[in-house]
Amino acid sequence: MKPSRDIARLIEIMAALRAPGTGCPWDLEQNFATIAPYTIEEAYEVVDAITRGDLDDLREELGDLLLQVVYHAQMAEEQNAFAFGDVVEAITRKMIRRHPHVFVDKDGNLAPSHVMEVWDRIKAEEKAERAARRPPEQTSHKSLLSSVKAGLPALTRAMELQRKASTVGFDWNDPRAVLHKIREEADEIEAALDRNDKQELTAETGDLLFALVNLARHVDADPESALRATNAKFERRFAYIERALEAQGRTLEQASLAEMDELWNAAKRSERPAAGSGDTARSR
């Protein structure tokens, strides 16, 4: 089978990988739940390529993300639920419906300021239509938080849950109150450490992360972007340690923790003029 620019070839490849008896053993074992984490991961890889401005890599990562769509569609087709063509038809219908000023109202184009109003109205209509199609047991409880999608990354979903709750006044009034909550959660983690309760430690760590997201929201910081920037900073400073030791003809394994700490602080000092703001402590 040869590569092709035609999407049909990718669908054929996916079908071959899932073919009982002749397909790939690993692919045959997968289901929607086991593939979902890879779908999220590939979306992040796309974002990473965009952040780095690497268009060659972006092409590759978009292909990996497209494969995830084809993979899910193939599994759905095996269950006689829907096929890839149905996915394409659904999104084309949606985009045409949501852009009447482009595809329908040729004589009545909307001003840019009104486009989002129309978009939101049509999305609300579509949501109501989907809800009407669901079985009664899935629509028995209408929570304020139901509109926050379960598939969002955890940090993003925490932010959206908090934002939604804040619309009815369930919120802190002062970022310092959130900071107090963070200290409270940290104390609870320390108590769990004393008890060596792993299940409690997991729960309390989640509470701390949720409180940190709340702080980010109150200071107008996106937690995903903030953590991504800190990850990059950690990688940059750790690379400084590696380069410094390499210049000495040594490896990480040959250096003591105290030596690596000293180099870490040197990396921080070298960045300070460019940073222009406060610094965070080393994380390990």
Side-chain angles (χ1 to χ4, degrees), residues 63-223:
D64 291 343
L65 185 58
L66 176 59
L67 176 63
Q68 295 298 305
V69 179
V70 172
Y71 208 135
H72 286 288
Q74 173 62 33
M75 292 187 290
E77 186 171 10
E78 292 165 5
Q79 298 179 22
N80 295 317
F82 59 83
F84 181 80
D86 299 311
V87 175
V88 175
E89 182 183 15
I91 188 59
T92 52
R93 181 188 300 112
K94 182 184 295 183
M95 297 309 292
I96 292 169
R97 178 177 181 177
R98 291 184 180 180
H99 296 82
H101 53 293
V102 175
F103 299 111
V104 179
D105 296 336
K106 288 298 183 181
D107 297 327
N109 289 331
L110 297 175
S113 59
H114 295 158
V115 170
M116 288 306 298
E117 295 177 13
V118 173
W119 178 278
D120 290 339
R121 175 179 56 78
I122 295 174
K123 281 182 63 177
E125 292 172 356
E126 292 170 350
K127 181 179 177 182
E129 290 169 3
R130 287 196 301 271
R133 293 196 298 267
R134 295 192 187 106
E137 62 270 15
Q138 295 185 25
T139 58
S140 58
H141 176 65
K142 289 291 185 181
S143 170
L144 176 70
L145 305 180
S146 296
S147 61
V148 181
K149 296 185 182 298
L152 290 172
L155 288 179
T156 302
R157 190 163 192 266
M159 174 79 88
E160 293 305 316
L161 288 170
Q162 294 167 7
R163 280 177 176 163
K164 184 65 70 172
S166 71
T167 62
V168 293
F170 191 75
D171 199 2
W172 302 101
N173 295 321
D174 186 341
R176 290 176 180 80
V178 186
L179 195 58
H180 176 76
K181 181 64 176 176
I182 289 172
R183 295 191 182 103
E184 178 184 310
E185 298 295 353
D187 289 340
E188 291 180 4
I189 289 177
E190 187 171 10
L193 282 169
D194 293 338
R195 290 187 289 273
N196 195 28
D197 188 327
K198 292 186 178 180
Q199 185 173 354
E200 185 182 4
L201 279 167
T202 298
E204 296 297 348
T205 300
D207 291 345
L208 177 59
L209 288 169
F210 195 82
L212 287 169
V213 171
N214 220 332
L215 178 64
R217 182 172 61 87
H218 277 80
V219 298
D220 295 323
D222 175 66

